[in-house]
Amino acid sequence: MDLLVAPPLPPPVGPPHESLSIAWLLRLLQEQGVLHAADLRRARRHFEGAGCVAQVEDPVLWLARLGLMDARHRRPLDEETIVMAMAQATGIPYLRIDPLQLDLSWVAGALSRPFALRHVVLPLSQTQAGLRVAVCDPFAAEVLQNIEQMARLPTLPTLACRSSILQVLRQAHGLKDSVAAALDDPRHDPLYNVEQLVRLGQGTGLAADDAPVISAVELLFGYAFDQRASDIHIEPRRESSQVRLRIDGILHDVHRLPRRVHSAILSRIKTLARLDIAERRRPQDGRIKTVRAQGAVELRVSTLPTAFGEKVVLRIFDPSTRHYDLTTLGMSAPDLATFSGWVAQ
């Protein structure tokens, strides 16, 4: 994860603020030269014309959706640019979250799901110095105090994009809840036949009428798609089931599941690929085709018997991962500007 420590600037003109507001953000972006005068006037007209705009859930997203331009870099003003401006003004480090560098099992257990989602706070790691957390509001002092009381540790805040925090929270808690429900369900037994579960859901959350195993598999697929993985490996071990993703040629350990749900998850995948779920001693090959917002995605499925049970490898063919934009490669703003200058020459 990229942790950028920005030198603090003088606070925006006006009285101290205890909560994030659109008026404060507009003054901040004006002082840092992020917005041209025309875009600033346009944003203020929207701000003054909306009667309840001061009560929007996230002022940062509200501004990012107006279609304004970043005057410094001549590109659309996005959520990350606004959050980095807040980090520079407040002196709080900015963090570009990389889910592959987080222990999602620990993330799901560090704070309760209702608390983390309600306050949009993501626990990152625990060290001798304290509990490192990501927040989207630089004025969330009360939330940080509550975390300190619960964890009995000092909090080390960083600023991150709200959308990135929520995405990781939903992935971590969603999979944890699905696996826990599968363990409580008698159908997690390895001998249980899940052949009747053949529909791959279209939703991104957990549906109330879906079986826990279905939800767990769909969350694994969605996580792999979001991380632009080329392969998914689900490998049985002596005490657990290891889930790994191949991203840019490197295998990353992303989940460790209870050994008891491995057979149920494997049976679900084999059912989707129209493989013989009763055959566990011979390799099998199949395919799964599903649709997401970016288009059709095909998965080639291969199973292989190992010493601790069946292993499955899924090769992902996602058309949306074939073309990349420079802004999506994870470079910091200064590095992106330098690289773009080299290319222009």
Side-chain angles (χ1 to χ4, degrees):
M1 285 178 285
D2 297 331
L3 185 62
L4 308 177
V5 182
L9 294 178
V13 178
H17 289 264
E18 296 181 354
S19 62
L20 184 61
S21 68
I22 293 174
W24 183 84
L25 281 176
L26 289 178
R27 288 198 300 271
L28 172 65
L29 297 177
Q30 180 185 21
E31 291 180 357
Q32 294 191 11
V34 177
L35 290 180
H36 280 303
D39 276 343
L40 187 62
R41 289 193 297 268
R42 176 186 168 195
R44 283 175 174 164
R45 284 198 301 269
H46 279 277
F47 174 65
E48 296 169 356
C52 60
V53 74
Q55 300 178 2
V56 295
E57 183 178 14
D58 187 354
V60 174
L61 285 180
W62 184 87
L63 278 177
R65 291 168 180 166
L66 289 183
L68 306 176
M69 293 295 295
D70 181 351
R72 301 169 305 176
H73 304 104
R74 297 181 181 180
R75 63 186 183 191
L77 181 67
D78 56 14
E79 181 185 7
E80 184 177 44
T81 301
I82 300 174
V83 176
M84 291 181 70
M86 292 194 302
Q88 188 176 12
T90 60
I92 302 175
Y94 168 75
L95 178 71
R96 184 180 292 116
I97 297 176
D98 182 358
L100 295 176
Q101 296 186 18
L102 296 176
D103 183 346
L104 295 184
S105 299
W106 180 86
V107 167
L111 293 175
S112 69
R113 178 175 183 166
F115 181 90
L117 290 176
R118 182 169 65 252
H119 299 291
V120 195
V121 56
L122 175 68
L124 299 170
S125 62
Q126 181 176 330
T127 64
Q128 294 180 350
L131 185 64
R132 190 160 161 253
V133 297
V135 296
C136 62
D137 186 348
F139 305 108
E142 184 177 352
V143 175
L144 296 177
Q145 290 175 1
N146 292 336
I147 295 175
E148 288 184 356
Q149 293 175 357
M150 290 186 295
R152 298 181 180 179
L153 289 170
T155 55
L156 308 173
T158 59
L159 276 180
C161 295
R162 179 188 184 93
S163 57
S164 300
I165 293 175
L166 290 176
Q167 181 182 26
V168 174
L169 287 175
R170 288 169 182 147
Q171 290 167 343
H173 287 279
L175 185 60
K176 175 189 174 184
D177 294 347
S178 296
V179 171
L183 288 174
D184 293 336
D185 195 319
R187 293 175 296 179
H188 76 265
D189 189 283
L191 298 180
Y192 177 73
N193 188 330
V194 293
E195 188 174 8
Q196 69 273 23
L197 307 177
V198 295
R199 180 181 57 83
L200 182 60
Q202 300 296 324
T204 57
L206 296 177
D209 58 345
D210 279 349
V213 171
I214 297 179
S215 298
V217 171
E218 291 181 5
L219 284 166
L220 285 175
F221 285 179
Y223 182 71
F225 297 156
D226 291 340
Q227 301 305 316
R228 297 179 176 269
S230 61
D231 300 87
I232 306 174
H233 293 242
I234 305 178
E235 306 168 356
R237 304 289 174 84
R238 186 181 300 275
E239 302 295 338
S240 63
S241 178
Q242 184 69 51
V243 180
R244 301 194 290 173
L245 299 182
R246 186 180 299 279
I247 302 173
D248 297 332
I250 301 175
L251 274 175
H252 300 268
D253 294 340
V254 294
H255 292 295
R256 188 176 296 275
L257 305 176
R259 184 68 173 83
R260 292 165 60 192
V261 302
H262 176 82
S263 295
I265 289 177
L266 191 68
S267 295
R268 170 63 179 165
I269 294 174
K270 290 170 71 174
T271 300
L272 292 173
R274 298 188 179 185
L275 302 179
D276 184 0
I277 64 174
E279 178 58 71
R280 298 191 177 100
R281 298 181 178 274
R282 296 180 181 178
Q284 298 186 73
D285 294 295
R287 63 179 59 190
I288 301 171
K289 192 170 185 179
T290 185
V291 178
R292 56 194 309 243
Q294 293 80 358
V297 179
E298 183 176 327
L299 299 94
R300 305 283 175 85
V301 182
S302 297
T303 64
L304 182 70
T306 68
F308 299 111
E310 273 190 296
K311 167 185 175 179
V312 62
V313 177
L314 301 96
R315 183 72 187 272
I316 302 173
F317 295 90
D318 187 351
S320 67
T321 63
R322 295 178 183 175
H323 303 283
Y324 296 91
D325 184 82
L326 286 178
T327 59
T328 65
L329 296 182
M331 288 190 285
S332 64
D335 288 344
L336 179 60
T338 301
F339 183 80
S340 299
W342 291 341
V343 174
Q345 294 177 10

